[in-house]
Amino acid sequence: MVLEAFGQALQNFAPVGLWVVLGIGVISGLIFGIIPGLGGIMGLALFLPFAFYLAPERALPLMVALVTVVNTGGAMTAILLNIPGTEPNAATLIDGFPMTQKGETGRALGAALASSGLSGLVTALIALAMIPLVLLIIMGITSVEMVFIVLVGISFIAVLSAGSMSKGMISGGLGLLISFVGFQSLTGVSRFTFGNIYLYDGLHLVPAALGLFGLPEAIVLAVKGGAIARTGVVIGGMEKVWEGVRDVFRHWALWLRSSLIGYIVGIIPGVGGTVGCFIAYGQAKQTSRHPEKFGTGCVEGVIAPESANNASQVGALLTTLALGIPGSASGAVLLGGLLMVGLIPGPDMLNIHLDLSLTLLLVAIIANLLAAGICLFAGRQLARVATVPGRLLSPLILTIIFVSVFAIHEEFLDVVVALVFAVLGLSMRQLGYNRPALILGFILGFFFERYFFISLQIGGPLFFMRPISLILIVIIIGVIAMDPIRGLIRRKRGVTKA
Amino acid sequence: MRKRRLPALLGSICLILVLAALPFMAACAQPAPAPTPTPAPAPAPAPAPPPPPAPKPVSAADFYRDNTPTLIVPNPAGGGNDYLARLLASYWTEVSGGTMKVKNKVGGGGIVGTNFVYTAEPDGLTLGVMHTPTLISAWLYKEPGVEFDLAKFNWIVSVVKEPVALVVSTKAPYESIDDLKRAKDLKFGTSLAKGSSPLAEAIVSEVFGLDSRIITGYEGGPGVGLALARGEFDAVAWSLTTSLEWVDKGWARPVLAVIDFERADAAPDVPAIVELAELSPDQEAMLRVASTLNAQKSIYTMPGVPEDRVQFLLEAFNQIMAIEGFLKQAKLKWPVWTKPVSGEDMAAFIETTTIISQEDLAKAEELMEKYEK
């Protein structure tokens, strides 16, 4: 039956129409990813009205292609401008932007594109094989385990903070604190809203992220002059881009591990792809022979999160199709799209409509490869952005950021939030505080609080006494303790040699 | 170097201020008053010109054919309200000859979008769709930021009106109300701390004398359903349609009761809670509060819209509800599609909510808190 469905899925690629909508989806996804603040959700929402008028074989490939490549587009902005194009790209800029500053833009782009494209391919194939296991995994991970999965993500604040643990913890803690603003559904209490309806849903992530990362860089570029790439560095051409591609093959074990992490985190509903990206980044640093290079422009710091974020999209797609449960925020919109074309997500998608599900997985593979290919050929030109004078680039970045921030909800207060975070981001930049740690705390704080309080209500203070939870606790302790232990071992070796 | 930096810096700052101020200026823009003309010397009297012909009144049908109404969804794209809005908009052309657009205006749990419709120009071109119990709750409890008055809206139609149903997880060993009565530390699950679901669960616990508590915080229907399937809690009171879906998926046992005064058309074999136990006057009052918070999705427009346009909207949406294609697509999302409630009946229903006393609301809150500790 599976082989027959696979054959039918391949036949679905015969009409030119499918390739046309796939192409539209890929280009749209890249555009929505590149322009900061837009993202896959807005892209899907714009295409939703067409879903009623298109056949399922056209509407769904368009939407799936869009949502699977949006993070690839977002990586461009993260690497070139230090602005996360989408939420999961926040981990990419930690090393991506420093590589641009060192003149290694092409290498960073090549590594990001190759790892995104290939991870999408591999995880789609894994998804095909893992269809029977997906349900077991999703049903086995309860709210209690979710606490520790999120905590593993939060523990990587410690990894990001190496160099100055106290500053990193302060940044992460501030992020957690900011995440608590808003209406708390567990108790029905509004916190720090000051009676303002805008703050009822908490501070919005996009204005905060763009204000924290994008505005300070644009302002510094305008004030200091010059270009993004430091004076004197040589940008290089396509050879640098291909070097980045070769880096992915050189670090194939890291790429594969990160893809698996992203995929597994992606199939679990209610966590979000960002957690997987930071976990992947953290494990890349922990397992690297040169962890001290992370944060200064290390290609492994680009390969890990970019592998994870595309893999998580494929994982979330499978959960949405197989269970009818949105695996991510964009999955919720995709779910609406499935209904609009007359399909009910759930077990039927893996039985009666297995051929369509396989078609969509193949679309995810092809879209990832196509997006990577398009961006690779533009890589040389994209790399030159690093040499554009700041006086030309800065006003453009500022315009795009402010328009994007306002356009999300047509809310002027979003612009105010972006400005406030710009002040915070500038201050943190000057004082050496870790901005990715703040964003990590901000994103994960909401999830941690929700699952922690649910778990307390279910199992009391000893809710963690479950096998998977205990394993995750050991991982968390390992993550936090690894750096100090390594330092101790190095010091002892130094003493022994002396 | 400094001279080259300064213009860029000043230019950037000016650009920031202009861009940041643009949306604010657009919102505050007011037309300038016409200047008062200076009186000219009186000319010689001329023959009076004939009066201009009175403008032909535009019928509501012509108005909606030539203008595009906007249906405001106060929730993000992809959810139930959004799906309903887009489905209705796709059939609007068939009944009106014009087009309709859908716009998501999120924030404040639906309050921002509802405020937007309430304060829009009353020309009949701005309509809203709402998950009614959420906004009834916000309005009754006088949540901060609420500008609208539900009693003043022009209600067009209400769909998917359904009571809350009690179901037990297939992972839990309880198959009947008697099993629940015998259980120790029975766990209910829900999303919000206040609403139809936790109130219904509290009423069930109170009426049947259950040793139970309510776990709050799950993320909406999908989160609650998944937790029920995993066995994180034993039972839940949730909308009937979704509960029947969970039974179909094998996540829940057959529905035990509907938490209402009468049986539901969608499940005529399932008893109402009033048939299973004698309710005290206080419990009946709580059940009345819970009934006002039963799930339904309503289409409405703001007060002050001309009557003929409201009538046109009422007829148009009733026609859409009868289209076979619309029903087929609606049933994909809501397999149990109940008869729509007319605008007039919806207005009468809202009228009944206005007589719920603050005392009863406070008692309902206390009851929920009792089981949420």
Side-chain angles (χ1 to χ4, degrees):
Chain A
M1 181 185 141
V2 175
L3 282 173
E4 200 183 307
F6 192 73
Q8 181 59 46
L10 287 173
Q11 279 181 39
N12 287 340
F13 281 87
V16 172
L18 187 134
W19 291 96
V20 170
V21 295
L22 199 155
I24 294 171
V26 166
I27 303 289
S28 309
L30 286 174
I31 292 171
F32 278 97
I34 285 172
I35 299 178
L38 295 187
I41 298 172
M42 192 175 282
L44 281 176
L46 283 175
F47 278 106
L48 268 182
F50 299 101
F52 278 117
Y53 305 103
L54 290 173
E57 301 81 31
R58 298 288 172 266
L60 292 177
L62 191 155
M63 290 193 277
V64 166
L66 191 155
V67 84
T68 49
V69 307
V70 75
N71 291 333
T72 306
M76 306 293 105
T77 343
I79 290 166
L80 294 170
L81 303 174
N82 202 38
I83 303 171
T86 64
E87 210 179 284
N89 297 120
T92 308
L93 56 82
I94 302 172
D95 274 282
F97 188 66
M99 285 185 77
T100 296
Q101 289 177 314
K102 286 189 330 190
E104 292 193 316
T105 320
R107 191 180 173 198
L109 289 174
L113 294 168
S115 42
S116 300
L118 291 172
S119 80
L121 164 66
V122 161
T123 46
L125 293 172
I126 293 173
L128 284 169
M130 274 187 72
I131 286 172
L133 291 177
V134 164
L135 205 57
L136 276 174
I137 294 173
I138 292 170
M139 290 300 166
I141 306 285
T142 67
S143 297
V144 174
E145 283 76 36
M146 295 287 270
V147 173
F148 295 102
I149 289 173
V150 175
L151 212 45
V152 168
I154 290 178
S155 69
F156 281 104
I157 289 174
V159 173
L160 296 176
S161 313
S164 177
M165 188 66 77
S166 55
K167 283 185 175 176
M169 290 300 181
I170 289 170
S171 301
L174 185 60
L176 284 170
L177 191 64
I178 295 170
S179 77
F180 297 148
V181 172
F183 177 77
Q184 208 246 25
S185 60
L186 292 152
T187 55
V189 169
S190 293
R191 295 184 300 211
F192 305 114
T193 59
F194 307 106
N196 190 320
I197 197 70
Y198 173 80
L199 293 174
Y200 188 90
D201 295 323
L203 288 167
H204 298 153
L205 176 62
V206 170
L210 293 183
L212 194 68
F213 292 102
L215 289 178
E217 297 309 323
I219 293 169
V220 165
L221 203 57
V223 169
K224 282 193 174 171
I228 295 174
R230 290 187 201 119
T231 312
V233 301
V234 177
I235 295 298
M238 275 307 288
E239 72 281 0
K240 277 286 192 183
V241 175
W242 290 118
E243 191 187 336
V245 174
R246 284 193 294 272
D247 279 323
V248 176
F249 291 96
R250 274 198 284 267
H251 299 284
W252 67 270
L254 169 67
W255 161 78
L256 189 60
R257 246 186 354 258
S258 305
S259 300
L260 283 172
I261 289 171
Y263 176 72
I264 290 171
V265 172
I267 59 176
I268 302 169
V271 179
T274 311
V275 176
C277 295
F278 277 98
I279 293 175
Y281 180 89
Q283 63 83 33
K285 187 175 177 184
Q286 299 287 48
T287 54
S288 171
R289 285 189 203 135
H290 306 285
E292 70 282 356
K293 288 186 180 173
F294 277 70
T296 65
C298 179
V299 74
E300 291 152 88
V302 171
I303 292 171
E306 280 306 306
S307 308
N309 67 30
N310 278 52
S312 73
Q313 289 289 357
V314 174
L317 173 66
L318 193 61
T319 306
T320 305
L321 288 176
L323 283 186
I325 295 170
S328 60
S330 50
V333 187
L334 193 61
L335 206 61
L338 279 162
L339 289 170
M340 283 176 199
V341 301
L343 291 170
I344 302 174
D348 279 354
M349 290 299 293
L350 301 179
N351 289 314
I352 303 166
H353 301 295
L354 181 59
D355 60 313
L356 187 58
S357 302
L358 292 174
T359 303
L360 295 178
L361 280 174
L362 288 171
V363 163
I365 293 172
I366 296 169
N368 269 297
L369 293 172
L370 205 54
I374 291 170
C375 293
L376 274 171
F377 280 106
R380 184 168 165 234
Q381 302 307 325
L382 286 171
R384 289 178 182 278
V385 171
T387 59
V388 173
R391 67 179 188 281
L392 298 176
L393 200 55
S394 180
L396 187 63
I397 296 173
L398 291 169
T399 308
I400 291 172
I401 288 177
F402 279 114
V403 171
S404 300
V405 162
F406 181 74
I408 303 163
H409 297 124
E410 293 176 12
E411 177 61 68
F412 182 65
L413 286 173
D414 280 339
V415 178
V416 174
V417 166
L419 286 170
V420 169
F421 272 85
V423 172
L424 179 64
L426 265 171
S427 312
M428 290 178 77
R429 195 181 187 281
Q430 293 301 110
L431 298 170
Y433 282 82
N434 196 303
R435 287 177 285 168
L438 188 148
I439 277 294
L440 185 58
F442 182 44
I443 293 168
L444 296 185
F446 167 76
F447 293 111
F448 176 74
E449 189 187 11
R450 162 175 295 213
Y451 293 119
F452 180 67
F453 280 105
I454 288 174
S455 302
L456 272 181
Q457 290 175 83
I458 292 174
L462 296 177
F463 67 87
F464 56 89
M465 298 300 287
R466 293 160 64 97
I468 301 175
S469 306
L470 291 169
I471 292 168
L472 290 168
I473 289 172
V474 168
I475 292 172
I476 292 164
I477 294 171
V479 164
I480 295 173
M482 189 168 285
D483 262 343
I485 291 171
R486 264 187 180 169
L488 198 65
I489 293 170
R490 273 193 221 112
R491 276 196 296 274
K492 277 199 171 172
R493 278 186 188 159
V495 167
T496 309
K497 275 185 186 169
Chain B
M1 284 297 270
R2 274 198 167 204
K3 280 186 182 173
R4 287 170 69 183
R5 274 187 230 159
L6 197 54
L9 175 60
L10 288 174
S12 297
I13 292 172
C14 290
L15 192 59
I16 292 170
L17 291 172
V18 166
L19 288 170
L22 267 177
F24 184 67
M25 289 191 308
C28 293
Q30 296 286 334
T36 312
T38 31
K56 196 175 167 190
V58 175
S59 69
D62 289 340
F63 178 78
Y64 281 110
R65 189 195 56 225
D66 299 334
N67 293 283
T68 302
T70 304
L71 188 48
I72 302 290
V73 181
N75 310 102
N81 286 344
D82 184 73
Y83 178 76
L84 178 66
R86 294 181 192 279
L87 186 58
L88 288 166
S90 70
Y91 284 95
W92 173 256
T93 307
E94 203 173 312
V95 301
S96 72
T99 53
M100 176 181 277
K101 49 183 186 183
V102 173
K103 188 170 174 169
N104 299 87
K105 192 116 181 98
V106 300
I111 294 174
V112 167
T114 312
N115 284 345
F116 182 85
V117 177
Y118 189 72
T119 54
E121 182 74 31
D123 54 7
L125 289 178
T126 308
L127 292 82
V129 60
M130 66 159 75
H131 179 60
T132 321
T134 311
L135 282 310
I136 289 177
S137 180
W139 180 57
L140 285 175
Y141 284 103
K142 297 182 180 10
E143 301 279 358
V146 169
E147 294 172 15
F148 55 85
D149 183 346
L150 282 185
K152 291 185 181 167
F153 278 127
N154 280 303
W155 298 97
I156 308 299
V157 69
S158 188
V159 296
V160 202
K161 188 169 179 2
E162 52 176 348
V164 169
L166 176 66
V167 287
V168 174
S169 168
T170 44
K171 292 265 167 56
Y174 315 116
E175 294 184 0
S176 65
I177 299 285
D178 288 333
D179 287 344
L180 296 180
K181 285 180 186 173
R182 284 191 283 269
K184 296 286 174 210
D185 192 31
L186 187 72
K187 291 194 281 287
F188 285 101
T190 190
S191 54
L192 301 175
K194 275 191 307 199
S196 58
S197 169
L199 182 56
E201 288 167 0
I203 289 170
V204 165
S205 300
E206 198 75 355
V207 165
F208 297 118
L210 305 181
D211 176 14
S212 65
R213 54 194 173 95
I214 300 173
I215 296 167
T216 59
Y218 291 98
E219 196 174 359
V224 170
L226 205 48
L228 182 76
R230 289 166 174 160
E232 290 186 32
F233 47 82
D234 303 306
V236 62
W238 203 259
S239 66
L240 178 61
T241 308
T242 309
S243 301
L244 290 171
E245 259 178 54
W246 291 338
V247 172
D248 276 342
K249 284 181 176 173
W251 294 354
R253 297 182 192 278
V255 178
L256 289 178
V258 288
I259 316 306
D260 207 350
F261 289 98
E262 57 192 12
R263 295 190 178 207
D265 292 337
D269 297 332
V270 177
I273 190 172
V274 294
E275 298 174 51
L276 299 172
E278 191 70 36
L279 271 62
S280 68
D282 268 350
Q283 289 166 352
E284 274 193 17
M286 293 300 97
L287 191 59
R288 263 194 299 278
V289 175
S291 294
T292 62
L293 299 177
N294 279 343
Q296 56 182 318
K297 296 186 187 306
S298 307
I299 313 297
Y300 63 98
T301 187
M302 74 291 283
V305 173
E307 189 54 40
D308 62 326
R309 292 179 191 174
V310 174
Q311 276 306 312
F312 181 86
L313 290 170
L314 285 168
E315 283 161 21
F317 277 95
N318 278 334
Q319 282 174 39
I320 291 176
M321 297 284 152
I323 297 173
E324 202 180 310
F326 170 84
L327 286 171
K328 191 175 162 196
Q329 286 181 287
K331 285 178 182 174
L332 286 175
K333 178 77 176 169
W334 301 284
V336 182
W337 180 260
T338 50
K339 191 179 160 206
V341 175
S342 69
E344 290 89 356
D345 288 342
M346 190 58 200
F349 167 74
I350 294 295
E351 198 62 40
T352 63
T353 67
T354 61
I355 61 172
I356 292 176
S357 66
Q358 287 297 314
E359 194 191 329
D360 279 347
L361 287 175
K363 278 187 190 168
E365 248 188 282
E366 272 173 34
L367 184 61
M368 287 184 274
E369 280 169 16
K370 177 182 170 186
Y371 289 96
E372 286 167 5
K373 280 185 186 148

